[in-house]
Amino acid sequence: GLYDRAASEVGRVMMRGGPRPAGLVLHGEVFLRQGLAGEALERFREARREAPADLRALMGEARALLQLGRAHEAAPVAEELLAQAPRDVETLLLV
């Protein structure tokens, strides 16, 4: 129930003019935590189309691909993430 509420709140903020890429990333996180990796992947990719340098969207996309068992697709995303944030602990753990 809390994930649905979180998604609703994010949607409301986006409707009121909140930053769309950040909202998409949050929606992706909610879907990912619910085990809906395919839906999460769509949100992360949409966020990346709107804000290509968003590290959270890039990290989310890599995690969603791994959960979907698509490591061969996640590898180049992880490499891009590592190039952008080589000293970030979360990035290193993901890669």
Side-chain angles (χ1 to χ4, degrees):
L2 293 179
Y3 288 126
D4 292 336
R5 185 173 177 192
S8 294
E9 290 298 322
V10 170
R12 274 193 273 280
V13 169
M14 288 172 60
M15 294 291 283
R16 292 183 186 135
R20 184 169 162 74
L24 290 167
V25 169
L26 289 173
H27 272 220
E29 290 294 336
V30 169
F31 283 128
L32 203 57
R33 290 174 192 230
Q34 289 177 313
L36 303 170
E39 290 292 328
L41 180 59
E42 288 180 24
R43 298 320 178 276
F44 292 130
R45 284 185 169 168
E46 189 174 348
R48 285 193 61 205
R49 279 191 296 275
E50 294 187 22
D54 190 319
L55 293 178
R56 295 171 310 144
L58 194 60
M59 185 173 285
E61 182 177 348
R63 287 190 352 255
L65 286 167
L66 289 173
Q67 282 192 14
L68 290 167
R70 294 161 54 180
H72 62 286
E73 290 179 58
V77 176
E79 288 174 11
E80 184 179 343
L81 182 61
L82 186 59
Q84 290 187 30
R87 296 190 176 165
D88 179 64
V89 174
E90 285 185 62
T91 297
L92 294 172
L93 289 171
L94 178 62
V95 172

